[in-house]
Amino acid sequence: MKGKNKKRRIAKKTTVDHPLYLFLFSMIVIIFGGTGSFINLNRVYGFSPFVNFAAGAGITLLGVVSSILFFTNLSKIQKAEIRGKLKKLNRRRATGKPFTLVKKRNYSGNCLLIAGALSVWVFWLVLPPVKEFSSVGFWIFRVCSIAATISGCYLSFVFPKKMLVYKNGFLIVFNGENSEIIQPCDLKKWSIIPDRPTRKDPRYAIRNTIFCDVVLFVNDREIVLKKADYDFIILKAIIKEIQNEPAKIRS
């Protein structure tokens, strides 16, 4: 019985492969979806000031509680996220499909996605198509908000160039127009450096954390992946997992 219960607990822990995204999506739906829905209902039914205050306080409380739960359980969420990524890595190993470790960042696409999502919230939830918002210009903004969101998703998740890929036991490095295949055991270490090393002032600490290059130390040389998009904790766990695999002979 104890063995069965243990297996059930393990299975339960890995039910959601990406709890981080689920948690963030839930927070966004609660805060933005709740406020947008309430604004529309209040416009139609004209709630009393007490109901408006109670609803606003309730949405705020849900946002605060979800934020507290997120930050207090951040380490657990990160561990679950790593387990999910390792499960995906093992599935790709079994099928021989590539697994992307590092890609080129595209912050312009990320900003467009955020701006598009916020404009969808404003023009589709906060400002509904009632008489005062029924002009042609308003509908143009509504269509543009959807187009911006779709374009931002494409630029953020589909368009970025792959820079470091794991496939069939090898690491494939795409650096500029050239590609190179290396053994995971040849990767002695890796690190991150700011893309503008001259800015070492503490004022640029946050910027240096976000805008970084990944440096691979392969035997006696360095390979710099400029403008890299990565997750430090997940990348560290995956590289460790890959390097534990026996070296293969390239055919």
Side-chain angles (χ1 to χ4, degrees), residues 192-219:
I192 58 174
I193 58 172
D195 60 358
R196 296 182 183 179
T198 54
R199 292 187 172 181
K200 295 181 180 180
D201 192 288
R203 292 176 297 173
Y204 298 104
I206 296 177
R207 188 219 175 271
N208 292 340
T209 303
I210 298 173
F211 297 92
C212 287
D213 301 332
V214 173
V215 183
L216 307 177
F217 297 89
V218 181
N219 292 328

Side-chain angles (χ1 to χ4, degrees), residues 70-88:
F70 175 75
F71 287 108
T72 54
N73 294 279
L74 186 58
S75 61
K76 293 181 181 179
I77 293 173
Q78 288 177 335
K79 290 177 182 178
E81 191 74 18
I82 290 172
R83 288 197 298 269
K85 288 290 186 179
L86 292 177
K87 282 173 62 178
K88 184 177 180 181

Side-chain angles (χ1 to χ4, degrees), residues 31-62:
I31 297 172
F32 291 97
T35 52
S37 300
F38 178 75
I39 288 171
N40 285 313
L41 290 173
N42 189 37
R43 183 180 286 113
V44 174
Y45 297 104
F47 298 135
S48 65
F50 175 77
V51 174
N52 290 333
F53 175 79
I59 293 173
T60 303
L61 182 62
L62 284 174

